[in-house]
Amino acid sequence: LSRLVVLGDGSWGTALAGLARDGEHDVSIWSRKQPNSAPLARAQGVIIALPAQVIGDVLAALALPPGAALIIAAKGIERGTHRFMHQVVAGTCPKNPALILSGPSFAEDVTRGLPTAVTLAAEHLEVARYWAAQLARPHFRIYASDDLMGVAIGGSLKNVLAIACGISDGKKLGASARAALTARGFAELSRLGKALGARAETLVGLSGLGDLLLTCSSEQSRNYAFGKRLGEGMPVEEALAASSGVVEGAYSAEAALALAKENGIAMPITQAVAAIIEDGATPESMIRSLLDRPLGIE
Amino acid sequence: LSRLVVLGDGSWGTALAGLARDGEHDVSIWSRKQPNSAPLARAQGVIIALPAQVIGDVLAALALPPGAALIIAAKGIERGTHRFMHQVVAGTCPKNPALILSGPSFAEDVTRGLPTAVTLAAEHLEVARYWAAQLARPHFRIYASDDLMGVAIGGSLKNVLAIACGISDGKKLGASARAALTARGFAELSRLGKALGARAETLVGLSGLGDLLLTCSSEQSRNYAFGKRLGEGMPVEEALAASSGVVEGAYSAEAALALAKENGIAMPITQAVAAIIEDGATPESMIRSLLDRPLGIE
C-alpha cells in the first residue's frame, strides 16, 4: 500500500482518490484553493488531476519528493510550447518517473462502480506494471504500456475531435456523418501519432480509439458538449463560458495543428476546429470544406 | 447514366434506389415478393440490397446479364459455408464483377439528404472508381477501394460487435464500458482482417471503424437494439422476433467465430456473442468472462 496525493479536487481527481481509498491506500487531496492541504513530502505517488494548461506552473511551485511517481491524469497539449503532459512533467520534475493514466472513463461511471478499462503508461514497463497493480480495482482495470507518446496523443487529440463531432450533432447532420467524421478524425490522430513515434497498437487501444469514441459520442463529454453549442450557433466565448469545467480541446487544437504543420501532416478536421476557435471561422465553413474535399481513394 | 436494378425493397434498397434516381439513372426495384418486377436482362448494374443469408439462393435463381456489375449493399458471412458476400457472389456469378458498397450510413440519414461517406470496393480500382462516380451524390460521398476483403470484414464483424455493445447498454454498464468493449472489438476485427489479407487502412477507414462505431452506438441499428434486448433479459428467440428486419450479426457470429478458429485468432467478444445466441449462455456470463480476463499488457 502506498502514500498517495491527488493534485486536483475536480470530478476526476475525486473519483481517482475514491478508487485509491477503496484500495486501502493512504490518500490525501491537494487543491489550488487549499495549497497546504496535503502532506506532499512523504508521498510515494502523486496523481495529477489538474487542467492540462496549469500543470507546468503548479509543479514548478510545489516541492515534490524526488523519486515519487507522477501519475498524470490530465490530457492535452501545452499552448505555446506544444509539449504533451509527460514532456511538461519531465521538464519540470526530471528526477521523478512520469506516468500517464488514460482511457475511456467518465468520472461518474468510475464513481458508480461501473466497469472501466484504462491504460497506464511509463517509460519503463515495470514501472507501469507496478502502479497498475497498485491502482487497479475489480471494476477499474488497468493495462500497462511503455508507449507514453502513444497514450499522450490519443488523450489530447480526442478532445479536439470531440469538438468536431459535437459541431456535427449541433447542426443535426445525423449519426452517419458523425461516424464518418470520427473515423476520419482517427485517421488524423494516427498520422500524427506515427510521425511522433507512437505505436499503432496504442492508437487503436483503450487510450486512443477507446477514449476517442467515448468522448465523441456522449453529452457527458465537456468537449463534445462545447462543440454541440457551437454547432447550434452559440459564439465561441459564450460556449466556453457555458461549459462546466475546462474544455481542454479548445486549448489543444491550436497546438495540435502546429505539431501537424511541423511534421508535414494533413489534419483537416483539427484545422477546421482550430479555425473556428482561434480565427472566428463559422461551423458552416468547416462542414463545407470537409464535404467539398475532392473524392479520393480510401 | 446507367440502367440499374436494385434487388430488395427494404429500407436500404429503397434509399439506394432513391439516390440513383436523384442521379438520373434508369432504376427498377426487384423484390422477392414480385419476382417479375424488374427488367434484369438489360441492367448494367445490379445493386444487391437483400439479407446476406439469402443472396446466394436468389442470385442462383435469377438470370443476371453477364458483365453487369453486381454491387453488394449487404453485410454478413454466409452460415455453413463461412463465405463473405463478395465470395458468395463470385461463386454464383463468376462472369460478373462484384463490388461492395459499405460504410456508416443509416438509410434514414441517406433518405433525408444528410451528409454520408461510404466506401465502394472492387477487385480492380478502375471498376470501383467508375461506379463510385456513377452513384455518388453531393451528400453521399463514395471513396473507391480495391480491398474487397477489408471492406467485407468490417461490414460483417461490426454487426456482431454491435450486439455485444447493445448487451452492455441493456445491462446499464455505462458509456465507459461500451467504449472499452468497442475498442477491444475493433482489435478483434483487425486481427481477423490481418489474417485474411485485409489492409489495415481499410479496417480503420469508413467501412471498418466508421461503420463499427455507428452501429455500436445507436438505437437505429437493429443489431445494437437486438443486443440491448438481450442485455435487458429478453430470451434470444423473443428478441429476434421483436426485431424489425434481419439481425445480421445473430447469423454472422457463428461464422465469424469459425473463421477465427480456422485462423488461430482469439476473438473473446465474438465468442461470447456466439455463445449467447447459439448455446444459450447468459449475458452475465459474457460480462464476467470479459471482466475477469487476466490483466495484460496493452
Side-chain angles (χ1 to χ4, degrees), chain B residues 126 130 169-171 176 295 298:
Chain B
E126 313 86 76
Y130 173 82
D169 280 0
K171 294 197 70 67
S176 305
L295 279 175
E298 160 120 302

Side-chain angles (χ1 to χ4, degrees), chain B residues 83-245:
Chain B
R83 291 184 302 177
F84 291 97
M85 288 304 111
H86 65 295
Q87 296 168 327
V88 170
V89 167
T92 314
C93 307
K95 293 188 181 159
N96 297 76
L99 297 89
I100 310 180
L101 182 74
S102 191
S105 48
F106 284 135
E108 195 192 332
D109 289 358
V110 170
T111 302
R112 289 175 60 204
L114 296 177
T116 314
V118 301
T119 302
L120 182 64
E123 188 182 348
H124 301 289
L125 192 56
E126 313 86 76
V127 174
R129 278 184 171 153
Y130 173 82
W131 284 102
Q134 289 281 307
L135 298 174
R137 303 291 303 145
H139 285 276
F140 187 75
R141 298 172 67 76
I142 307 181
Y143 292 81
S145 163
D146 59 1
D147 186 6
L148 277 168
M149 185 53 98
V151 171
I153 287 171
S156 303
L157 266 290
K158 61 117 193 182
N159 284 329
V160 179
L161 298 170
I163 296 174
C165 289
I167 291 172
S168 177
D169 280 0
K171 294 197 70 67
K172 299 194 191 304
L173 297 184
S176 305
R178 188 182 72 196
L181 202 55
T182 310
R184 297 248 149 209
F186 181 71
E188 289 191 17
L189 184 164
S190 299
R191 282 196 291 272
L192 184 63
K194 195 176 170 190
L196 297 179
R199 284 206 297 270
E201 312 91 81
T202 310
L203 300 175
V204 297
L206 293 166
S207 64
L209 177 60
D211 207 0
L212 173 69
L213 52 91
L214 178 66
T215 312
C216 281
S217 67
S218 176
E219 304 274 349
Q220 283 175 268
S221 157
R222 281 197 292 261
N223 293 279
Y224 170 88
F226 167 71
K228 196 166 177 192
R229 289 191 193 97
L230 296 181
E232 288 164 353
M234 195 182 277
V236 173
E237 290 307 320
E238 204 177 314
L240 277 176
S243 301
S244 63

Side-chain angles (χ1 to χ4, degrees), chain A residues 38-58:
Chain A
L40 270 168
R42 293 173 59 242
Q44 296 163 308
V46 177
I47 297 174
I48 306 171
L50 295 165
Q53 304 302 330
V54 309
I55 287 179
D57 286 348
V58 169

